[in-house]
């Protein structure tokens, strides 16, 4: 739809090359979408629309909710990482050992993935990524939301950052 590119999807077995984390298997099934061509809000909307269509064709669309957020562009991500470093540093002693290590290593976004009970309050009170968006990043996200609205794809904006699918 007007993106000047092509979109494809894939689904199949994948294999972790590193040692799997506890509770994970070496082999797993992955679904993905690739956009080949110019990047931009239209490409984002097109990829989301393709995912909706594929889920609909396999009978899973009724069981899905699109939770949508963004960390923004590279400058926004750097600003957000700085906000997270400050936030988590102030709560360092209450963080799990893994999250303390991630903080020391500068991998603060990974703390958001923590399932440790000790990290729950720190993660739940993490800053909103929108606080760090550049004007360009904010504009792009608004154009993505407008594009989804225009083609009738419902979404929810979660109250806190989420990572992955």
């Amino acid at each position: 739809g007007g993106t000047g590119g092509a979109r494809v999807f894939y689904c199949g077995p994948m294999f972790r090359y590193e040692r799997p984390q506890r509770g994970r298997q070496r082999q797993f099934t992955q679904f993905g979408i690739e956009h080949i061509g110019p990047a931009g809000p239209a490409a984002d909307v097109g990829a989301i629309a393709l995912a909706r269509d594929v889920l609909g064709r396999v009978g899973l669309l009724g069981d899905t909710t699109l939770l949508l957020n963004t960390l923004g562009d590279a400058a926004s991500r750097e600003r957000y990482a700085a906000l997270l470093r400050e936030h988590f540093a102030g709560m360092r002693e209450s963080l799990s050992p893994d999250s303390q290590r991630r903080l020391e290593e500068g991998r603060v976004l990974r703390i958001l993935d923590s399932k440790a009970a000790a990290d729950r309050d720190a993660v739940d009170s993490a800053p909103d990524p929108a606080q760090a968006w550049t004007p360009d990043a904010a504009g792009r996200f608004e154009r993505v939301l407008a594009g989804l609205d225009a083609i009738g794809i419902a979404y929810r904006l979660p109250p806190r950052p989420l990572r992955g699918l």
Side-chain angles (χ1 to χ4, degrees):
T3 64
R7 285 178 298 277
V8 296
F9 72 91
Y10 59 89
C11 184
M14 303 288 166
F15 298 88
R16 290 184 175 84
Y17 292 103
E18 72 280 354
R19 187 175 59 89
Q21 295 173 338
R22 186 178 63 214
R24 293 188 175 189
Q25 302 297 317
R26 186 162 299 280
Q27 181 178 345
F28 62 98
T29 302
Q30 181 169 315
F31 170 79
I33 293 175
E34 302 291 335
H35 171 80
I36 303 161
D44 297 342
V45 171
I48 293 168
L50 177 58
R52 179 203 52 192
D53 293 348
V54 170
L55 290 173
R57 287 180 189 222
V58 297
L60 296 176
L61 191 58
D63 297 334
T64 62
T65 300
L66 174 60
L67 300 176
L68 193 62
N69 72 357
T70 181
L71 296 179
D73 54 22
S76 299
R77 285 188 296 277
E78 286 178 26
R79 290 163 51 171
Y80 187 54
L83 286 174
L84 288 176
R85 269 190 297 280
E86 182 179 323
H87 172 74
F88 292 131
M91 308 175 98
R92 186 186 190 296
E93 296 306 315
S94 67
L95 295 174
S96 69
D98 280 344
S99 290
Q100 288 181 21
R101 188 185 75 251
R102 290 172 177 155
L103 179 60
E104 290 167 13
E105 294 170 350
R107 298 182 313 136
V108 292
L109 286 172
R110 295 281 299 159
I111 298 172
L112 298 175
D113 298 332
S114 175
K115 304 290 186 265
D119 298 332
R120 194 67 339 209
D121 287 342
V123 170
D124 286 348
S125 63
D128 184 339
Q131 293 175 263
W133 291 346
T134 63
D136 286 345
R140 178 177 176 148
F141 192 58
E142 288 301 320
R143 288 189 299 279
V144 169
L145 298 180
L148 294 173
D149 290 340
I151 61 173
I153 295 181
Y155 55 86
R156 282 191 10 231
L157 303 175
R160 65 175 193 261
L162 52 98
R163 304 220 324 142
L165 198 60

